[in-house]
Amino acid sequence: LSSYKPLWFHKYQHIYMWMLYPVTMLAWTLGDLAYAFHPRVPMDAKVKSLAVSLTFMLHAWVLPFLVLPAMTAMWFIYLEIIVSSCFFSAQFVVNHEVEGTHGHSTYQDWGKYQTVSSHDYAVESWLWCHLSGGLNNQIAHHLFPSVNFIHYPLVTKVIREVCAEEQVEFQHSESMMSALSKHHDHLYEMGNSLKEIKKNKAA
C-alpha cells in the first residue's frame, strides 16, 4: 500500500465499485484479448488465450444473434453479462478482499498464511458449497486444492479445530450478505487510508 499512488477518486471506491462489478466478465474477456497481443506473451500462451476468448465470444455474444431476433439477442447477452459478472465478482471479493486478509507476511508457515489471508462464508451451506464450487470454503480450497469440493464442509470443520488449538484466526462470515458487507467496509477503509499515505509522503 505504501508504494501505491493514491488518486482523488479512490476514496469513493466503496460506492463506484458496485457499478463496475456487473461488467466484470466483459472487462475480463477483453483483457484476455489484450493479453494475447502483448509482445512479451509467448506464442503458445497467445494461441491459448485467443482460442478460449474467441470461442467464448462466439457462443455467448454472436450465436444468440443467429438464432434469436436482434433485440432479444441483445437483451439475452446483456443479462448474461450482468448475471455472470455479479456472480463471478461476488465469489472472489469476499474470499480475499475483506478486512483482515491483507498485510500478512509470507515469511511464516505456509498453512498459516493460506488461512489468515483467506475468508470463508456460509461454510455449512450445501447450497453455497455447490453454487460456488466450494469457494465458500476458501481456506479449505487453498489448503487442499486437490480434494473434491463436496468434502470441503467436513474439511473446514477440521481446519477450524486446528486453528483453535494453534490460536490461528479463522476468518469467516455466516452468510454471503455478511461477507459482502465486510468487503464494502474493506473498500471504504482502503480508500480512506490513502489520505494517510499522502500525509506520510508529504511529511
Side-chain angles (χ1 to χ4, degrees):
L1 188 60
S2 60
S3 62
Y4 190 76
K5 295 182 179 180
L7 299 175
W8 65 270
F9 56 83
H10 288 143
K11 66 178 180 179
Y12 303 110
Q13 64 183 6
H14 61 289
I15 299 174
Y16 64 73
M17 283 307 296
W18 300 102
M19 292 178 277
L20 296 178
Y21 287 148
V23 293
T24 299
M25 292 306 294
L26 177 61
W28 189 285
T29 304
L30 295 179
D32 281 347
L33 284 177
Y35 168 83
F37 289 101
H38 195 283
R40 294 183 181 178
V41 176
M43 182 56 66
D44 59 334
K46 289 178 182 290
V47 173
K48 182 179 180 180
S49 182
L50 278 174
V52 173
S53 298
L54 291 177
T55 299
F56 170 77
M57 288 189 291
L58 284 173
H59 96 267
W61 299 345
V62 176
L63 184 60
F65 284 102
L66 302 179
V67 296
L68 297 170
M71 188 58 66
T72 303
M74 289 178 63
W75 277 108
F76 181 85
I77 295 170
Y78 176 75
L79 182 63
E80 177 271 324
I81 291 174
I82 297 296
V83 173
S84 62
S85 295
C86 288
F87 191 80
F88 177 84
S89 299
Q91 289 304 311
F92 286 91
V93 300
V94 298
N95 289 331
H96 297 291
E97 301 302 323
V98 299
E99 283 297 300
T101 59
H102 57 95
H104 300 287
S105 172
T106 55
Y107 295 100
Q108 59 180 305
D109 177 80
W110 178 84
K112 179 180 179 181
Y113 176 75
Q114 297 302 322
T115 302
V116 298
S117 63
S118 301
H119 176 269
D120 285 1
Y121 70 91
V123 294
E124 297 179 357
S125 171
W126 178 92
L127 178 63
W128 276 114
C129 183
H130 284 76
L131 283 178
S132 68
L135 293 183
N136 63 317
N137 290 272
Q138 183 70 192
I139 296 173
H141 168 68
H142 274 247
L143 294 175
F144 304 99
S146 61
V147 174
N148 190 292
F149 74 86
I150 64 173
H151 302 298
Y152 281 173
L154 180 60
V155 173
T156 296
K157 288 183 179 180
V158 178
I159 293 174
R160 295 181 78 165
E161 292 174 0
V162 174
C163 285
E165 293 175 1
E166 300 295 327
Q167 297 183 330
V168 174
E169 184 179 9
F170 181 90
Q171 303 182 93
H172 73 288
S173 296
E174 295 300 325
S175 67
M176 168 61 88
M177 291 306 298
S178 177
L180 287 173
S181 177
K182 287 184 179 180
H183 173 61
H184 174 271
D185 293 342
H186 177 63
L187 290 176
Y188 179 85
E189 291 295 329
M190 292 289 286
N192 282 269
S193 65
L194 293 174
K195 58 186 178 184
E196 297 298 325
I197 298 176
K198 287 183 177 180
K199 289 181 182 179
N200 294 335
K201 288 185 175 181

